[in-house]
């Protein structure tokens, strides 16, 4: 049975339908990369899975149990953790406090202050710093560490490289690759198609709220994904 099942999910922002009939599954240990242009619906989809946005239709199954109606904090306890776009740290609190607060809300498991610092070594000398004073890369590492402190079974990562210097992106992805190698189950939003294809087991491309291409990363080419990303296949099909 899949760890996560998304069935015909719809999500709206007022009259605008941001997610349209989206269905997919994620098995234990898989990494699914969601790609797509700005406004394709990726953030809304992740937030809906995490319980931060109410769906307009469809179902979300976690370990076969329908969690569509349960609140975000209960999904966190069940093992679904979101690293939101923009990180949303408690900027007045220290890194250590950010991590410990999350640990207090989560599940029991292998992640604690020591194991998070091991996974993100750049946090070691920043534990006593105010989160608001960190560099972008350090903030992102704290945000992912905060999610790990809840001992999730499914990690939802929204654009972890957004606004980071290339060297910080490398550091964050090095840590993510170690998590993936350790068996983590991840759904991540990634704008960089090459990186998505390199890091993920499967890639799904969204266009205007729908998944228009999905497959195993190893069996997809950059050209296929780029075409779907910009809706070029559809444009060509529509041409006389
Ligand atoms: P980005 O890469 O820009 O974050 P995205 O693929 O994550 O894009 P969403 O942020 O989910 O896409 O946006 C999907 C659609 O919903 C867009 O048309 C966007 O303008 C709209 N939208 C997103 N958030 C809101 C909101 N809070 N209120 C109204 N419309 C919204």
């Amino acid at each position: 049975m899949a760890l996560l099942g998304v069935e015909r999910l719809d999500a709206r922002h007022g009259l605008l339908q941001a997610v349209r009939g989206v269905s997919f599954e994620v098995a234990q240990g898989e990494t699914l990369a969601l790609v797509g242009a700005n406004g394709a619906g990726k953030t809304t989809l992740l937030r809906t899975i995490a319980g931060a946005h109410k769906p307009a239709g469809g179902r979300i199954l976690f370990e076969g149990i329908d969690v569509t109606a349960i609140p975000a904090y209960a999904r966190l306890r069940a093992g679904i953790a979101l690293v939101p776009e923009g990180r949303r740290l408690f900027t007045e609190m220290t890194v250590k406090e950010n991590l410990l607060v999350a640990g207090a809300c989560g599940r029991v498991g292998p992640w604690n202050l020591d194991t998070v610092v091991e996974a993100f070594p750049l946090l070691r000398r920043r534990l006593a710093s105010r989160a608001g004073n960190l560099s972008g890369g350090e903030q992102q590492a704290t945000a992912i560490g905060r999610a790990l402190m809840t001992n999730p079974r499914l990690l939802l990562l929204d654009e972890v490289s957004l606004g980071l210097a290339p060297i910080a992106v490398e550091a964050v992805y090095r840590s993510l690759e170690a998590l993936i190698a350790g068996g983590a189950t991840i759904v991540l939003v990634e704008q960089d198609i090459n990186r998505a294809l390199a890091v993920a087991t499967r890639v799904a491309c969204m266009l205007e709220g729908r998944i228009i291409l999905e497959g195993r990363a190893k069996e997809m080419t950059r050209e296929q994904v780029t075409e779907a990303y910009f809706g070029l296949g559809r444009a060509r099909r529509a041409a006389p």
Side-chain angles (χ1 to χ4, degrees), residues 13 16 18 36-45 85 158-159 189 191:
H13 297 284
L16 186 138
N38 287 343
K42 307 175 300 291
T43 295
T44 306
L45 175 58
E85 198 173 17
D158 199 352
E159 297 216 36
V189 170
Q191 290 279 6

